[in-house]
Amino acid sequence: MKKAVLASAVVAVMMSGSALAAEVYNSDGTSLKIGGRAEFRGDFVGDKGEEIDGTMKNSSRFRINVGAETQISDSLTGFGFYEAEQGVNSSGDNAATTSIKQRYMYAGIGTQFGDISFGKQDTAGVQISKMSDDGQIWTGAQKTFIAAGDEQANNAIAYSNVFADVFSLNASVIAAEKKNENGYGISGIYSAPFGLDFGLGYAQNDFTEIKLAGNTITEDGSADQVIGGLSYSIANLTVGGTYTQGTYKFDQDDNVDFSGVELSGTYKFDGGFRIMAAYQKQELEASDGDKFVQSDFYELTGQYHFNKSLRTYLSYKLDNRSAEEVSNNGNAAEDTVRLGMRYDF
């Protein structure tokens, strides 16, 4: 991770959502930027392991975000950020899509001692999961095991700071509306001068309902997670890896352990072409020894960047799960071929 990337969690979210955001207003210390993306995603053969009955499933999306910042004093700033996403209807339904997903909505204050923000935003552990999140189909899921380590968390209070341009510290708290659903997390990434980054995070939250292996369990409990990551960049090559493990602890002592590993690598050729390869495996194991393979796949992607705004890509996801490891009409999980075109603004 380059030093320029070692920014606060708040700034990281804003930049990841609007890397090409255009400044549309700047006056008296207050600025406003608008950005987003329009992305066609066509999936063939399979979708999340399920066979596609027809020819193609359209998974396209459109995102738009607005970020604002105001200078209060020499050492104090205020900021706000909002991002929404709209998808498409299923094939054959040509009516207008009216549902809009709110991804982020938060406001905060930046000081010389760090930034603090309030609202719907990423928790502390997300900066670790991003160290291996380079794929186009399903990488980056290491953060999804527990609420206190996930992205786009409601009722989140987040703190972030960068020390000496080499250590990024994030901390977050979920102050839940419902009883017994609070959580917290902390993570840090150290950036060595030779291109190697080390990351480590911890998160914990209580729950009253949780979804495991496709089943919703309504039972009080708690969950904790440890996540670690490494990334290395040299010339045109970037590689990353993350590992996570933790436990869902139920009041009836029927615990479920989880673990996940994810590896990715991207090489940039001259002329705008890039190739990416990734591997992910995630498992659940109950106290009685039963195991559920949540994911087990390889992904290979070729991208071509026409310029900084427009890219196209072709991805192949090889699902390694057997018929015994998935519930898919008695069949093994289907592979996925994704054709995409993305315009960033």
Side-chain angles (χ1 to χ4, degrees):
M1 184 180 294
K2 305 299 183 184
K3 290 183 179 180
V5 181
L6 270 176
S8 68
V10 172
V11 175
V13 169
M14 294 178 69
M15 293 304 293
S16 65
S18 55
L20 299 177
E23 187 174 69
V24 296
Y25 176 83
N26 192 330
S27 178
D28 298 326
T30 298
S31 63
L32 179 69
K33 293 184 177 181
I34 297 178
R37 71 172 69 164
E39 184 175 12
F40 162 75
R41 301 187 300 176
D43 291 333
F44 301 85
V45 186
D47 171 56
K48 297 180 181 178
E50 295 289 337
E51 182 181 2
I52 296 174
D53 293 332
T55 303
M56 183 189 80
K57 178 179 179 180
N58 191 344
S59 302
S60 300
R61 59 190 179 184
F62 176 82
R63 290 180 183 174
I64 188 167
N65 55 68
V66 180
E69 184 178 72
T70 184
Q71 191 73 38
I72 302 171
S73 66
D74 291 341
S75 59
L76 191 66
T77 59
F79 56 84
F81 185 77
Y82 173 81
E83 183 173 87
E85 177 178 298
Q86 187 173 29
V88 295
N89 294 325
S90 59
S91 177
D93 184 355
N94 296 325
T97 302
T98 57
S99 61
I100 296 177
K101 173 187 175 182
Q102 178 197 90
R103 287 172 50 82
Y104 296 98
M105 186 171 68
Y106 58 84
I109 294 177
T111 74
Q112 58 183 329
F113 305 105
D115 297 345
I116 184 168
S117 53
F118 309 83
K120 188 174 185 180
Q121 55 190 318
D122 291 347
T123 62
V126 174
Q127 70 165 344
I128 309 296
S129 66
K130 286 182 177 179
M131 299 176 80
S132 60
D133 185 11
D134 278 339
Q136 295 292 340
I137 299 182
W138 194 242
T139 59
Q142 298 283 69
K143 58 184 176 289
T144 60
F145 283 102
I146 74 171
D150 206 356
E151 64 180 358
Q152 304 162 34
N154 274 319
N155 291 36
I157 304 171
Y159 168 82
S160 58
N161 201 0
V162 179
F163 299 91
D165 289 333
V166 297
F167 183 71
S168 172
L169 175 66
N170 288 353
S172 58
V173 172
I174 296 179
E177 179 181 355
K178 295 182 179 180
K179 185 179 179 181
N180 297 329
E181 290 189 1
N182 292 337
Y184 66 88
I186 188 169
S187 71
I189 296 179
Y190 172 74
S191 181
F194 49 88
L196 182 64
D197 301 330
F198 309 85
L200 186 64
Y202 175 79
Q204 188 275 339
N205 64 259
D206 297 328
F207 59 81
T208 57
E209 182 181 282
I210 196 165
K211 190 172 184 178
L212 297 179
N215 300 312
T216 300
I217 302 173
T218 303
E219 185 177 333
D220 291 348
S222 64
D224 57 13
Q225 176 184 26
V226 176
I227 184 169
L230 292 172
S231 67
Y232 181 67
S233 296
I234 181 172
N236 294 335
L237 176 66
T238 299
V239 294
T242 55
Y243 176 79
T244 187
Q245 65 178 35
T247 303
Y248 303 105
K249 303 172 184 177
F250 298 93
D251 287 352
Q252 297 180 1
D253 295 327
D254 294 325
N255 296 344
V256 176
D257 296 327
F258 64 82
S259 63
V261 61
E262 185 174 89
L263 306 171
S264 68
T266 299
Y267 186 84
K268 301 178 183 179
F269 295 89
D270 293 335
F273 183 72
R274 301 180 185 182
I275 189 169
M276 187 283 305
Y279 171 74
Q280 182 191 104
K281 186 173 185 178
Q282 297 179 333
E283 290 184 313
L284 305 176
E285 183 174 0
S287 55
D288 60 6
D290 287 345
K291 287 187 178 182
F292 174 77
V293 180
Q294 189 162 288
S295 67
D296 184 1
F297 67 83
Y298 295 96
E299 180 182 338
L300 182 64
T301 297
Q303 294 185 23
Y304 181 74
H305 291 240
F306 295 91
N307 55 28
K308 63 181 181 180
S309 295
L310 184 64
R311 75 185 72 171
T312 186
Y313 57 87
L314 181 65
S315 299
Y316 180 74
K317 176 185 174 184
L318 174 63
D319 202 315
N320 299 315
R321 294 175 297 172
S322 65
E324 291 75 26
E325 293 172 329
V326 294
S327 176
N328 186 26
N329 301 321
N331 300 317
E334 295 289 347
D335 297 342
T336 300
V337 177
R338 172 170 289 180
L339 175 64
M341 178 167 282
R342 171 174 157 180
Y343 183 87
D344 294 281
F345 61 91

